[in-house]
Amino acid sequence: MSNNLYRFVGLEQSEFSLHQDLSETYFAMRELCLPEAMLVLSDGIDDVLSLLSESQYYVAQDLVSYKGKTITFRGQFAMAESKSLKAFLQHAAATDDLRPMLISPVFGSSTPLQVIAVTEDVCCLYSTTGKCAAPSQV
């Protein structure tokens, strides 16, 4: 393990609105990650990089805790420019420090149109529109 420590060290981050509920944003992203919304399953980070065509992204460590029926978001959350996110993901993959996370273009509504779920083994693209946002379909 390197010094990522689930804090997105090395990811140049943008500022959040003081009124933004990060837990609510995370769960909106997580809600889209259903089998029927999955478009692409990939085992390579290069495929994920090709999907990052928007200018800003939410990045959330996929870490929750359970207490009874209550699920609580426990991970780190960041907002980053596409260029910085791509560099961060490339470095994390190259150093074998890719952690489970959810990535979504910044969204203003209550539901994102697209979420990329990254794990140590595979990456999945989920979409409400039924198509990839990037010009090249993976």
Side-chain angles (χ1 to χ4, degrees), residues 25-67:
T25 304
Y26 166 79
F27 282 109
M29 293 166 63
R30 182 179 160 132
E31 254 181 55
L32 184 56
C33 298
L34 301 171
E36 58 269 17
M38 188 171 63
L39 294 180
V40 177
L41 178 66
S42 171
D43 61 358
I45 197 67
D46 290 334
D47 292 336
V48 172
L49 297 176
S50 72
L51 294 170
L52 300 177
S53 61
E54 299 294 325
S55 60
Q56 282 198 313
Y57 285 87
Y58 290 134
V59 185
Q61 177 194 2
D62 198 8
L63 181 66
V64 294
S65 65
Y66 296 86
K67 186 171 185 177

Side-chain angles (χ1 to χ4, degrees), residues 31-42 51 113-117 119 122-132 137:
E31 254 181 55
L32 184 56
C33 298
L34 301 171
E36 58 269 17
M38 188 171 63
L39 294 180
V40 177
L41 178 66
S42 171
L51 294 170
L113 296 177
Q114 181 182 70
V115 174
I116 300 168
T119 70
V122 297
C123 304
C124 303
L125 170 67
Y126 299 91
S127 177
T128 59
T129 63
K131 51 188 163 181
C132 294
Q137 299 265 337

